[in-house]
Amino acid sequence: EVQLLEAGGGLVQPGGSHRLSCVGSGFSLRSHWMSWVRQAPGKGLEWVANINPEGSGRDHVASVRGRFTVSKDNAGNSLYLQMDNLRPEDTAVYFCARTAIIGRGLDLWGQGRPVTVS
Amino acid sequence: DIQMTQSPSSVSASVGDSVTITCRASQPINNWLAWYQQKPGKAPRLLISAASTLQAGVPSRFSGSASGTDFTFTISSLQPEDAATYYCQQANISPDTFGQGTKLEIK
């Protein structure tokens, strides 16, 4: 089955660190751009970061730049989001997502993991 | 960053009606626009990419179109299961910004 399975999340103190992981099955991450998207409680979707198929190029939204780092391990078919210096406003459900090869939409999503900074 | 202005923020319609949601980009995005459906507690689902390309398995009552920096998403013949929040997202230039969302209620 083609899917993304996320792990991690939970309660983190302000200023703390945490790493989310996302493992792909049924397809190869080395063929796709991958993204992280978050959703604060009761709010809309916010794009957080993405990384290119090779893992050599990445970008982050300004509000997390310098604190969060997206990475991938193509051999392990895994995507990561390292979150440092966490703030209460980072509290959200975090989704990993795959970019379709054609059309650029996010066509496969993980189940989402909640991160609470308090 | 490219701003995506989505409207309305909420809409209520009856089964069988048609509903239209619009998104306006703050600059040209070469039609790299996607539409998603999200139900409570679930991950978003991609419905349309490249402004008008329907994803496999998505009912044909969903459609999208583009005119310059204005994008339209239409659901015709509403069904009860269409109750959800809908988002647009531009994928032309990073950061790949989302619209604010439109909550659709079925009367």
Side-chain angles (χ1 to χ4, degrees), chain A residues 46-109:
Chain A
E46 181 184 29
W47 179 91
V48 174
N50 67 5
I51 189 166
N52 68 2
E54 299 78 14
S56 58
R58 67 201 77 196
D59 194 15
H60 303 78
V61 70
S63 59
V64 309
R65 201 168 289 146
R67 300 188 299 120
F68 290 13
T69 303
V70 59
S71 63
K72 66 188 321 208
D73 170 12
N74 282 336
N77 223 36
S78 297
L79 177 73
Y80 302 100
L81 185 66
Q82 176 66 41
M83 303 181 289
D84 298 321
N85 191 18
L86 280 158
R87 304 169 179 169
E89 55 264 36
D90 297 318
T91 294
V93 173
Y94 286 75
F95 298 95
C96 62
R98 180 184 78 177
T99 299
I101 292 174
I102 298 174
R104 298 194 188 178
L106 300 175
D107 68 342
L108 182 67
W109 292 69

Side-chain angles (χ1 to χ4, degrees), chain B residues 41-107:
Chain B
K42 300 294 187 181
R45 174 193 180 195
L46 177 64
L47 301 177
I48 288 172
S49 64
S52 60
T53 301
L54 199 66
Q55 298 303 292
V58 176
S60 59
R61 65 179 181 275
F62 295 93
S63 64
S65 64
S67 177
T69 58
D70 291 335
F71 299 87
T72 299
F73 172 77
T74 299
I75 312 172
S76 59
S77 188
L78 275 171
Q79 299 300 304
E81 61 266 28
D82 297 336
T85 300
Y86 294 84
Y87 296 90
C88 64
Q89 183 204 24
Q90 69 82 18
N92 187 52
I93 297 176
S94 184
D96 295 357
T97 40
F98 286 90
Q100 301 92 327
T102 296
K103 186 173 184 179
L104 170 59
E105 176 195 69
I106 308 297
K107 293 177 186 174

Side-chain angles (χ1 to χ4, degrees), chain B residues 9-33:
Chain B
S9 57
S10 65
V11 60
S12 181
S14 301
V15 172
D17 287 351
S18 288
V19 166
T20 296
I21 299 169
T22 62
C23 260
R24 172 169 289 175
S26 59
Q27 63 189 73
I29 58 171
N30 298 307
N31 284 353
W32 291 119
L33 184 104

